[in-house]
Amino acid sequence: MTDILAAIALTPTENLPDNFDTLADKDFMRIATHLARKSHNEGGCPIGAVIVDAATGRIIGKGHNTLVQENDTTTHGETAAIRDAGRVAKLRGKGPVDFRGAVLYTTLTPCLVCCAQIIHRCQFQKIVIGDVTNAPSTKKILRGGGIKNVDILEDAEAIALYKAYAEEKPELHYLDWGGHKKREEMLGGK
């Protein structure tokens, strides 16, 4: 099953089958973890995300953090998946994506910037978070913003992968989570 989930992670979203109704939350989280590993293998921050239409089981978007690879502080796993969903919808001749019937699986608890996007633009039906060990949980923020169904489904591989990254590259971990000011505070002005 791991090989199948890895293949799903690496296949362009528009080329995937119409549904994966036999997959469970842990399987979609594993797909997100494969995307996090892809980012890490590229030298980037290991965060992956998958968006699934809850009614059909169709993966409508997926992505991974490319802060390092693209030198773009706005491309987190969640925002990459949101952009992918829009790109795929356009390829299929659809208008703006309505995420209110979708589930977002993310390997790390969303940062405040991603929370703002999730709360104010997307309003996902459900958020499933794979790691609240390596970063402060934003579950209360998401719920306070109207996302009532926020589940924690910690994925051991995602946790280990992000922990190793944060230890190897603390300056990028803090930059990704809080910007330059937070990075300087945590690293003593470096």
Side-chain angles (χ1 to χ4, degrees):
M1 181 66 141
T2 299
D3 291 344
I4 292 169
L5 298 177
I8 292 168
L10 300 177
T11 300
T13 307
E14 63 271 19
N15 296 336
L16 292 172
D18 285 345
N19 75 58
F20 291 100
D21 55 4
T22 59
L23 297 183
D25 283 351
K26 67 179 179 56
D27 300 315
F28 289 116
M29 184 59 69
R30 185 48 48 124
I31 293 167
T33 300
H34 284 295
L35 290 162
R37 180 160 304 287
K38 179 181 188 305
S39 182
H40 190 261
N41 291 345
E42 294 171 352
C45 182
I47 302 172
V50 176
I51 302 171
V52 178
D53 182 304
T56 65
R58 177 183 228 171
I59 294 175
I60 61 172
K62 54 191 177 67
H64 63 281
N65 186 304
T66 57
L67 170 110
V68 174
Q69 300 92 311
E70 297 177 6
N71 197 25
D72 181 351
T73 60
T74 65
T75 308
H76 290 190
E78 301 90 346
T79 58
I82 291 166
R83 285 185 187 136
D84 186 51
R87 181 188 65 78
V88 172
K90 186 174 181 177
L91 285 174
R92 293 182 174 147
K94 308 283 184 188
V97 180
D98 184 348
F99 293 104
R100 293 175 295 178
V103 179
L104 170 69
Y105 297 86
T106 180
T107 58
L108 187 68
T109 190
C111 72
L112 296 177
V113 173
C114 289
C115 283
Q117 179 80 348
I118 290 165
I119 291 167
H120 298 292
R121 297 280 185 238
C122 299
Q123 282 292 307
F124 290 99
Q125 176 180 317
K126 177 179 170 182
I127 309 280
V128 181
I129 301 169
D131 179 0
V132 295
T133 299
N134 288 304
S137 175
T138 52
K139 182 177 181 176
K140 286 183 182 180
I141 293 167
L142 292 166
R143 283 193 171 161
I147 310 294
K148 299 302 177 203
N149 196 355
V150 181
D151 294 342
I152 308 299
L153 177 66
E154 290 209 301
D155 182 273
E157 184 178 341
I159 292 167
L161 188 59
Y162 195 86
K163 181 178 187 223
Y165 171 80
E167 289 172 355
E168 293 166 11
K169 301 177 180 179
E171 70 285 356
L172 293 175
H173 161 69
Y174 294 123
L175 179 63
D176 192 53
W177 260 85
H180 291 285
K181 183 177 178 184
K182 181 70 169 178
R183 177 181 166 262
E184 288 169 2
E185 287 172 9
M186 299 308 292
L187 297 174
K190 292 181 183 178

